[in-house]
Amino acid sequence: MPKKKLLSGWGRHPTVESRVSRPEKRVTLRSLIEQNGAPVLARGAGRSYGDASLLNSDGKTLFTDRLNRMLSFDSGTGVLRAEAGVRLREILEAFVPRGWFLPVTPGTKEVTLGGAVAFDIHGKNHHRDGGVSNFVREIELLTAGGKTVTCSPEQNADLFWATVSGAGLTGIITEVALELRPIETAYVAERTLKADDLGDAFALFEEHEPDYLYSVAWIDCLASGDSLGRSHLMFGRHATPDELTAKQRQDPLGYEPNHLASLPFDLPEGVLNEHTVKAFNQLFYARQRKRDKREVVGIDPFFYPLDAIGDWNRMYGESGFVQFQCVLPMEESYDGLKEILAEVQESGLASFLAVLKRMGGPDGGLLTFPLEGYTLALDIPRREGLEDLLRDLHEITARRGGRVYLAKDAYLQPDTFREMYPALEEWLEVKRHVDPENRFTSAQARRLGIEP
């Protein structure tokens, strides 16, 4: 029997009262969908930031985290078949010691496999490999009629490409076949470079990306004037055994996840403000004395630094925060990012975390986020003036031909959304066919007017 519970995304806003169930078997999942025709939404780990995994109490939110079995693995092809509720962390713990890594990973390993596919996650290697959908060989989807449909780029391809970026609105992903990446060690050969300004950062990306599989930049979004866009750029590739230290070579595939303390309480409102964040950014930028630093580091420090702090979202206080993530086309990226950074500075709303990445071309999903260009992600505390700032940032993004990532969004408006995602009508045609009564929906879908 569904129970009522207050839920939010990782940004802790908005909060809605939902009727929730946590099935442990797929037959139970199917029966919950078939009952009484109410709206339905699957929720994995709840790590989307805004309202994409929320549905109010007129429907049913079905947690899938107990449907998390790994079903089979083919060492010849590297294809893992697993239920959608398995977390990326569980895949890493099982397969890194066996010489396999995720083909694409976001900045947290706490998301579920189903959630990763539903938002076609991208990572530090998008400029080389694209999103996770390029490595998904097959999906099993439970549809509104209680039918299980197998889809892939070759079979039911229209449904596949609507699902891999469809935010859970075409049905419930129950099973995924994912091709893993072979690795020789559990370490990353990392190179960190300091960029004096945004132009310098762009030049360093251009120069060094051909030599590395992974690239990302931490950007000081509060630096101004000649230092606007100053950054630390981190490039990486999977280390080979001969690059390891003598101690590391004793167990080259030994995987040691970061397990540090959790934040036990909400920080007081206002602790993260323009002054404290600016001071932190200055210290962070100054701590690396060399302009060019090379070292071999573990998987977690390179890919998942924030996962070392449990419940790190509590740093922003009870009011929570918003992550604004946009991507701008290559020809608009430099001027557009300068304009966005200037807006953030003028607003006085500090962004503690700002991440810059180079992206390749669009992936095949109909509602895919990436464009060839640069993506910027900003974590902004919920304070007075936030909605005005986001409205301005959305306008800049749309005017320059970019788009906002739906997995992070909580404020985008319907008209702007449609402008950013021109394939929406094509996606809706698939939605009308597979879910004509619009059983699968979410608070985000309703806010954006996504209806068949």
Side-chain angles (χ1 to χ4, degrees), residues 206-220:
E206 188 73 23
E207 179 182 357
H208 295 288
E209 276 187 335
D211 299 325
Y212 292 92
L213 178 59
Y214 304 105
S215 64
V216 66
W218 170 86
I219 184 170
D220 182 357

Side-chain angles (χ1 to χ4, degrees), residues 149-193:
V149 178
T150 300
C151 52
S152 70
E154 296 79 31
Q155 182 180 4
N156 295 311
D158 56 344
L159 183 55
F160 177 85
W161 293 116
T163 299
V164 296
S165 56
L169 303 178
T170 59
I172 296 181
I173 299 170
T174 56
E175 197 171 301
V176 177
L178 178 71
E179 182 179 340
L180 302 183
R181 180 187 302 277
I183 55 174
E184 295 182 274
T185 76
Y187 294 90
V188 176
E190 179 187 61
R191 184 177 184 182
T192 304
L193 297 167

Side-chain angles (χ1 to χ4, degrees), residues 1-9 14-24 28-29 32-33 35-48 50-67 167-169 172 439-444 446:
M1 187 73 179
K3 299 179 180 179
K4 289 190 176 181
K5 185 176 181 179
L6 287 176
L7 297 176
S8 68
T15 299
V16 302
E17 185 178 66
S18 301
R19 289 191 298 145
V20 305
S21 295
R22 186 173 261 115
E24 298 185 7
T28 308
L29 183 67
L32 287 168
I33 291 175
Q35 289 172 6
N36 69 32
V40 177
L41 180 68
R43 178 181 167 104
R47 295 299 287 253
S48 56
D51 53 1
S53 65
L54 303 181
L55 180 63
N56 62 26
S57 57
D58 70 341
K60 292 179 287 190
T61 300
L62 306 181
F63 283 75
T64 62
D65 55 332
R66 291 181 180 171
L67 299 167
L169 303 178
I172 296 181
R439 291 285 312 285
F440 293 101
T441 188
S442 67
Q444 181 182 73
R446 289 170 171 176

Side-chain angles (χ1 to χ4, degrees), residues 79 103 113 116-117 120 131-140 151-154 160-161 164 173 175-179:
V79 174
L113 184 56
V117 172
D120 196 8
V132 75
S133 61
N134 289 335
F135 300 89
V136 175
R137 299 296 167 248
E138 194 171 87
I139 293 170
E140 284 196 3
C151 52
S152 70
E154 296 79 31
F160 177 85
W161 293 116
V164 296
I173 299 170
E175 197 171 301
V176 177
L178 178 71
E179 182 179 340

Side-chain angles (χ1 to χ4, degrees), residues 378-390:
L378 306 169
D379 284 355
I380 308 172
R382 290 190 62 247
R383 303 285 187 270
E384 184 178 353
L386 174 64
E387 292 191 35
D388 291 338
L389 171 62
L390 290 174

Side-chain angles (χ1 to χ4, degrees), residues 44-113:
R47 295 299 287 253
S48 56
Y49 282 63
D51 53 1
S53 65
L54 303 181
L55 180 63
N56 62 26
S57 57
D58 70 341
K60 292 179 287 190
T61 300
L62 306 181
F63 283 75
T64 62
D65 55 332
R66 291 181 180 171
L67 299 167
N68 64 342
R69 294 180 303 157
M70 297 187 207
L71 304 172
S72 66
F73 179 67
D74 185 333
S75 60
T77 62
V79 174
L80 167 69
R81 184 173 290 271
E83 291 184 319
V86 68
R87 296 195 187 213
L88 301 189
R89 165 174 48 81
E90 296 171 300
I91 297 175
L92 292 170
E93 291 172 352
F95 284 93
V96 169
R98 299 169 65 178
W100 298 92
F101 187 65
L102 297 165
V104 172
T105 180
T108 175
K109 58 182 182 287
E110 295 301 329
V111 301
T112 62
L113 184 56

